[in-house]
């Protein structure tokens, strides 16, 4: 006689039918439980349903105010599902994945509560639990940005009566570590000795073309030319260029030589820069490339730089320091605006400073 998820249950000790009101659950708490009706032989399912809805309406009015008593509560997960569905085919797959991840984490921490309880208190609970689980400030802030987009959508859809501005975790900006030239050379030597040609192909494009891991993973062979590489959206893999900035990367002499030798040995069925030999991507995702290099760096005792991003950052920094101030040219190769590139990629070391002073 119980409803779905045991909305109605029987208390044997007290001989009382009780209601558990999931739609009025508050973040981080159990759903409210209220007595419905004492047991007697003539009770029907209709009696229980009617009483349940009467008590729910009264409780809703008490918890949510006069307006709350009029409308059926909308659960967080249901509203989020509608939000995600509205974004299909509008955003890059990785952006949708980030949004879904934030929603799943929120429900795991706060439960599937009414969107009326999507508030600052629930946000603080979310932050506290994420911190206790070891998440970094940057990771938490990223999830909060996704949740803020959801909150904005709820308000636009008139599902929230007022805008919700989540207080985001403050992130201390610091310059990511980059590889030294000596570390890059050690890494290249390690990859060469391992004899895995795909590892070298990843390294070449990260170091000598400053390409992102996703760009390397999704690169079709048809985009690799004798003197340049074209980075654009790849429909076959449902992959889109970061910042939507498609570009043509010229090759330096070293990379031209490496690519020419590599292309000469390719099989006729290969379609991708990282190919399994049968026209399929050799790796399931760009993340897999990062894991390969994380393990290689651990073997060499290299700590600090992000496995692939550190290689790219080292290349961008080198070009900035040695290009005579032509930041716009470096930004074009790197796929960044000049402002973003100068903010995040200019790594000035003590050796660089001494080199500049020596010019005086």
């Amino acid at each position: 006689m119980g409803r779905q998820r045991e909305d109605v249950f029987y208390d044997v000790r007290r001989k009382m039918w009780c209601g558990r009101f999931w739609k009025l659950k508050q973040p981080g708490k159990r759903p409210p439980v209220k007595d419905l009706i004492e047991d007697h032989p003539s009770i029907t399912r209709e009696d229980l349903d009617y009483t349940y809805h009467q008590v729910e309406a009264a409780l809703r009015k008490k918890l949510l105010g006069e307006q709350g008593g009029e409308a059926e509560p909308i659960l967080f997960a249901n509203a989020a599902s509608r939000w995600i569905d509205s974004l299909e085919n509008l955003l890059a797959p990785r952006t949708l994945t980030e949004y879904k991840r934030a929603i799943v984490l929120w429900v795991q921490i706060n439960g599937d509560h009414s969107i009326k309880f999507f508030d600052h208190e629930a946000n603080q609970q979310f932050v506290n639990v994420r911190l206790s689980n070891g998440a970094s400030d940057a990771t938490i802030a990223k999830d909060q940005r996704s949740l803020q987009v959801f909150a904005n959508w709820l308000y636009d859809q008139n599902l929230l009566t007022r805008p919700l501005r989540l207080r985001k975790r403050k992130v201390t900006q610091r310059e990511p570590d980059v590889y030294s030239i000596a570390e890059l050379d050690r890494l290249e030597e390690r990859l060469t000795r391992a004899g895995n040609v795909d590892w070298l192909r990843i390294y070449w494009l990260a170091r000598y073309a400053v390409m992102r891991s996703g760009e390397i993973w999704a690169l079709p062979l048809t985009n690799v030319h004798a003197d340049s590489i074209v980075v654009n959206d790849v429909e076959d893999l449902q992959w889109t260029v970061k910042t939507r900035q498609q570009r043509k990367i010229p090759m330096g002499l070293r990379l031209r030589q490496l690519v020419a030798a590599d292309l000469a040995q390719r099989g006729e069925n290969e379609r991708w820069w990282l190919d399994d030999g049968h026209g399929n991507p050799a790796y399931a995702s760009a993340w897999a490339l990062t894991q390969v290099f994380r393990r290689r760096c651990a073997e060499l005792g290299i700590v600090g730089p992000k496995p692939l991003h550190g290689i790219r950052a080292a290349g961008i920094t080198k070009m900035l320091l040695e290009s005579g101030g032509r930041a716009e040219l470096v930004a074009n190769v790197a796929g960044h605006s000049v402002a973003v590139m100068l903010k995040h990629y200019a790594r000035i070391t003590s050796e660089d400073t001494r080199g500049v002073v020596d010019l005086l």
Side-chain angles (χ1 to χ4, degrees), residues 48-346:
L48 292 175
D49 286 344
Y50 175 80
T51 307
Y52 181 92
H53 288 300
Q54 291 293 106
V55 174
E56 184 182 50
L59 187 58
R60 188 161 65 230
K61 187 174 182 179
K62 177 181 178 181
L63 293 175
L64 306 178
E66 292 294 331
Q67 292 183 341
E70 300 172 1
E72 181 76 5
I74 300 175
L75 294 180
F76 188 93
N78 289 339
S81 179
R82 289 168 52 189
W83 171 55
I84 294 295
D85 288 345
S86 73
L87 298 174
E88 291 290 347
N89 302 319
L90 296 178
L91 299 176
R94 63 172 167 267
T95 302
L96 283 176
T97 298
E98 290 173 0
Y99 286 175
K100 292 175 183 177
R101 174 178 175 273
I103 294 298
V104 168
L105 287 169
W106 180 278
V107 173
Q108 287 176 348
I109 292 170
N110 285 316
D112 192 11
H113 55 81
S114 166
I115 58 172
K116 299 295 183 181
F117 298 119
F118 186 20
D119 55 21
H120 297 292
E121 183 179 349
N123 177 55
Q124 189 58 54
Q125 169 76 2
F126 179 79
V127 171
N128 291 342
V129 174
R130 297 286 281 128
L131 286 172
S132 69
N133 290 336
S136 68
D137 290 338
T139 298
I140 297 171
K142 184 177 183 179
D143 291 334
Q144 288 180 301
R145 288 193 294 272
S146 297
L147 292 164
Q148 182 64 67
V149 177
F150 177 45
N152 296 344
W153 179 85
L154 289 173
Y155 180 68
D156 289 341
Q157 298 295 312
N158 296 317
L159 298 176
L160 290 181
T161 57
R162 64 184 64 183
L164 173 63
R165 297 287 178 261
L166 298 177
R167 180 174 295 178
K168 298 175 184 62
R169 190 72 181 169
K170 290 185 178 180
V171 180
T172 302
Q173 296 290 342
R174 70 179 185 87
E175 292 186 344
D177 295 326
V178 300
Y179 295 90
S180 66
I181 297 300
E183 289 173 331
L184 288 173
D185 290 341
R186 287 175 58 208
L187 183 56
E188 186 169 11
E189 180 183 355
R190 170 70 181 84
L191 298 174
T192 301
R193 284 190 285 105
N196 188 310
V197 67
D198 278 338
W199 295 357
L200 284 168
R201 289 167 177 162
I202 297 167
Y203 176 86
W204 295 338
L205 296 197
R207 180 170 185 180
Y208 301 116
V210 293
M211 291 175 64
R212 301 178 177 94
S213 59
E215 296 170 347
I216 300 170
W217 171 73
L219 180 63
L221 278 178
T222 53
N223 284 16
V224 181
H225 305 290
D227 59 355
S228 64
I229 296 172
V230 175
V231 177
N232 55 20
D233 296 345
V234 182
E235 186 175 348
D236 286 356
L237 300 179
Q238 295 185 319
W239 181 86
T240 55
V241 180
K242 186 175 182 180
T243 71
R244 304 285 183 176
Q245 189 171 352
Q246 304 183 29
R247 67 192 191 282
K248 184 177 182 179
I249 304 173
M251 294 187 200
L253 176 60
R254 173 62 173 158
L255 184 56
R256 290 202 304 270
Q257 293 172 339
L258 293 169
V259 168
D262 182 78
L263 293 179
Q265 301 176 22
R266 293 283 185 158
E268 60 180 13
N269 294 324
E270 295 190 40
R271 298 174 52 221
W272 307 97
W273 178 251
L274 301 176
D275 198 286
D276 66 357
H278 303 284
N280 305 306
Y283 296 90
S285 67
W287 180 81
L289 277 59
T290 300
Q291 299 313 302
V292 167
F293 277 74
R294 178 171 285 116
R295 289 190 287 270
R296 302 295 80 75
C297 289
E299 292 168 358
L300 293 170
I302 299 175
V303 296
K306 292 182 178 180
L308 275 179
H309 189 269
I311 301 175
R312 167 178 158 84
I316 293 174
T317 298
K318 181 176 174 65
M319 287 192 293
L320 281 172
L321 294 174
E322 298 181 7
S323 65
R326 300 300 301 276
E328 71 281 2
L329 296 180
V330 179
N332 185 59
V333 172
H336 270 302
S337 69
V338 172
V340 169
M341 185 185 64
L342 291 176
K343 179 180 179 181
H344 295 290
Y345 288 94

